Amino acid sequence: QVQLVESGGGWVQAGDSLRLSCGASASMYGMGWFRQVPGKEREFVAAVSRSADVIRYSDSVKGRFTISRDNAKNTVYLQMNSLKLEDTAVYYCAARGTPYSRVSLSSERYYTYWGQGTQVTVSS
């Protein structure tokens, strides 16, 4: 069973930066980040294809967040800069273990594995 383990969450002030990491126990294809706040649906944040030739961001984080990956370490990162109060959420790492999906990287349906989530809290 593939495991995804997130780290790097925490409590920061608005304007600060955080870097999330997610390590997979096996080689993955597309990898992404989603987030969820209580009472709301989980939303897409960012995703990257295996070769990093395709990268997607939600409009709300574009220009502030950067997704990257290190395939040698089976790890995906999310560098979050200029954090805002509305970035407060539980952040989930997601990954796909098989290729050739017609579903978009930004869709939850693309992913076959999910991490346990890491809390990011941004305060004023």
Side-chain angles (χ1 to χ4, degrees):
Q1 179 70 13
V2 173
Q3 290 187 327
L4 302 179
V5 180
E6 300 116 331
S7 62
W11 179 90
V12 294
Q13 292 190 315
D16 286 351
S17 298
L18 270 180
R19 188 194 196 203
L20 303 183
S21 300
C22 172
S25 58
S27 179
M28 294 286 110
Y29 288 86
M31 299 185 80
W33 291 94
F34 290 74
R35 65 187 182 186
Q36 188 172 26
V37 297
K40 292 189 175 181
E41 293 187 354
R42 188 158 53 188
E43 66 170 359
F44 169 73
V45 176
V48 57
S49 64
R50 178 175 177 79
S51 61
D53 59 333
V54 177
I55 293 178
R56 296 281 184 264
Y57 295 101
S58 68
D59 288 342
S60 60
V61 308
K62 198 174 296 182
R64 300 187 297 120
F65 291 10
T66 301
I67 190 169
S68 61
R69 64 188 293 167
D70 183 339
N71 290 338
K73 298 181 180 179
N74 296 331
T75 298
V76 64
Y77 306 96
L78 186 67
Q79 178 65 44
M80 305 185 293
N81 298 329
S82 303
L83 282 160
K84 303 177 180 180
L85 299 180
E86 53 265 40
D87 294 319
T88 295
V90 176
Y91 284 71
Y92 294 92
C93 172
R96 182 176 180 87
T98 56
Y100 310 128
S101 171
R102 294 183 178 182
V103 180
S104 169
L105 277 170
S106 61
S107 170
E108 288 191 31
R109 295 186 294 112
Y110 174 87
Y111 299 95
T112 53
Y113 302 105
W114 292 84
Q116 79 286 355
T118 185
Q119 177 71 44
V120 172
T121 302
V122 184
S123 65
S124 59

